[in-house]
Amino acid sequence: ANLGFVRAGAIYKRKLGRSLYTVAPMVGTNLLTLYTKDYEQGSTKPSVLDISRRWYLFGGRGEWLRDDPGGFLRAGLDVSGGYLGRVAQYDQDEVGSDLPLPRNTVLWSDAAVFVEARRHWYGDRVSVRPGLRLDRFGLGEQWALDPRVNGHVTLSPTATLRASLGRFHQPPSPAHFDEFADNLKAKSSYVDQATIAVEVSPQPGLTTSITGFGHEGRKTLVDVAEHNIRPTGVDLELVF
């Protein structure tokens, strides 16, 4: 089994006064192949099975950033999507023509808007960085709102306290929306996460830190074998 991928992207930036405008499009493709070649006992002719599936992706980000003496304000738009093609199967002996492989296609698009600000005081010894992201996930036809905040406090010339709190949504993979699994109404999972860290830099070239993490995930999507239309021993999530 082999997985290959190619990505191509570009970035354009333009600064006007205190504002920086950025546009960054990208395209890509994934290719997953599964190849077997078996010789039956006493036979010199092998049985060959060659299965592949292509995955085409596109996306882009447009962003506006404005600096000021107290920090910055940032806002933007994210767009992404793709096309998951049919499984292409070559079997010279037609032995595996009934293999339970998904043969449907999946076309999707996602979009999001976000805004973020950073304020600092006392010569940047204290800062707060709140943000908000609104997503529209095409596969699950779902809206998701993620608030997040980061901050730091300088404890001494060599020590800094950093902390973060936020929610992060993850849409289901397009591979979950196949013709076998009952996942067509699947929604995104999400994680609530908090971190706190102490960072010490006794000299400019040396930094050490200790960080604590806490998170709780909900609505994690899993495959349930008995809900499949055609039960099989093949792990569809792993293979395709």
Side-chain angles (χ1 to χ4, degrees), residues 39-224:
Y39 288 88
E40 295 183 5
Q41 187 174 3
S43 174
T44 59
K45 183 181 178 180
S47 175
V48 177
L49 179 64
D50 192 351
I51 300 173
S52 63
R53 195 172 199 182
R54 286 194 176 273
W55 191 326
Y56 301 97
L57 303 169
F58 68 89
R61 166 174 285 201
E63 183 179 296
W64 167 78
L65 174 69
R66 180 177 176 82
D67 286 312
D68 62 62
F72 67 76
L73 180 63
R74 185 169 72 106
L77 170 69
D78 279 333
V79 177
S80 62
Y83 172 78
L84 181 61
R86 288 184 174 88
V87 173
Q89 178 181 345
Y90 166 75
D91 183 356
Q92 65 177 23
D93 296 325
E94 300 297 330
V95 174
S97 58
D98 291 331
L99 279 177
L101 299 173
R103 303 186 188 279
N104 63 313
T105 62
V106 182
L107 179 66
W108 79 97
S109 61
D110 302 327
V113 292
F114 61 89
V115 62
E116 182 183 37
R118 186 179 189 272
R119 298 288 90 188
H120 63 256
W121 302 272
Y122 309 111
D124 204 15
R125 291 191 293 272
V126 178
S127 76
V128 177
R129 186 173 173 171
L132 193 64
R133 181 182 177 93
L134 176 65
D135 280 277
R136 169 64 177 179
F137 299 127
L139 282 176
E141 298 182 351
Q142 178 188 12
W143 293 92
L145 186 64
D146 290 346
R148 303 164 189 174
V149 62
N150 296 269
H152 90 275
V153 177
T154 301
L155 304 176
S156 72
T158 59
T160 303
L161 176 68
R162 303 185 186 277
S164 68
L165 179 65
R167 171 167 289 185
F168 302 85
H169 275 82
Q170 175 68 46
S173 166
H176 281 104
F177 287 77
D178 61 53
E179 60 184 337
F180 297 150
D182 185 18
N183 287 325
L184 297 182
K185 295 183 179 180
K187 303 301 182 182
S188 62
S189 60
Y190 63 92
V191 171
D192 294 323
Q193 180 173 287
T195 68
I196 187 167
V198 176
E199 182 181 287
V200 179
S201 299
Q203 51 183 309
L206 178 63
T207 300
T208 183
S209 65
I210 181 170
T211 305
F213 299 88
H215 77 271
E216 183 176 358
R218 299 182 179 90
K219 297 185 178 180
T220 302
L221 182 64
V222 297
D223 289 326
V224 181

Side-chain angles (χ1 to χ4, degrees), residues 2-5 29-33 52-55:
N2 294 289
L3 174 64
F5 65 91
T29 183
N30 299 340
L31 176 60
L32 181 64
T33 62
S52 63
R53 195 172 199 182
R54 286 194 176 273
W55 191 326

